Amino acid sequence: MKEKIYKTMSSSGACVLTLGIITLVTGIVSGIMLIVSGARLLKRKSEILL
């Protein structure tokens, strides 16, 4: 009985850990893309504003 509980908890923990890492990486990549996009807009501000 205890072995089934342990296996269930360990697989659940691994799943949660994996999802956390994926969420973290996605957030970092999204932030970098937003910063780069904003920098491009600032760089070409004079061309955009007439």
Side-chain angles (χ1 to χ4, degrees):
M1 181 68 179
K2 288 183 181 181
E3 195 171 316
K4 283 185 178 181
I5 294 171
Y6 177 75
K7 286 183 181 181
T8 303
M9 289 177 66
S10 65
S11 65
S12 176
C15 181
V16 169
L17 185 63
T18 304
L19 285 174
I21 291 171
I22 290 171
T23 304
L24 181 68
V25 169
T26 303
I28 291 172
V29 169
S30 297
I32 290 171
M33 289 174 65
L34 286 170
I35 290 171
V36 169
S37 176
R40 285 184 185 167
L41 284 172
L42 286 174
K43 184 178 179 183
R44 297 181 183 210
K45 185 172 79 170
S46 62
E47 295 173 13
I48 295 171
L49 297 174
L50 297 176

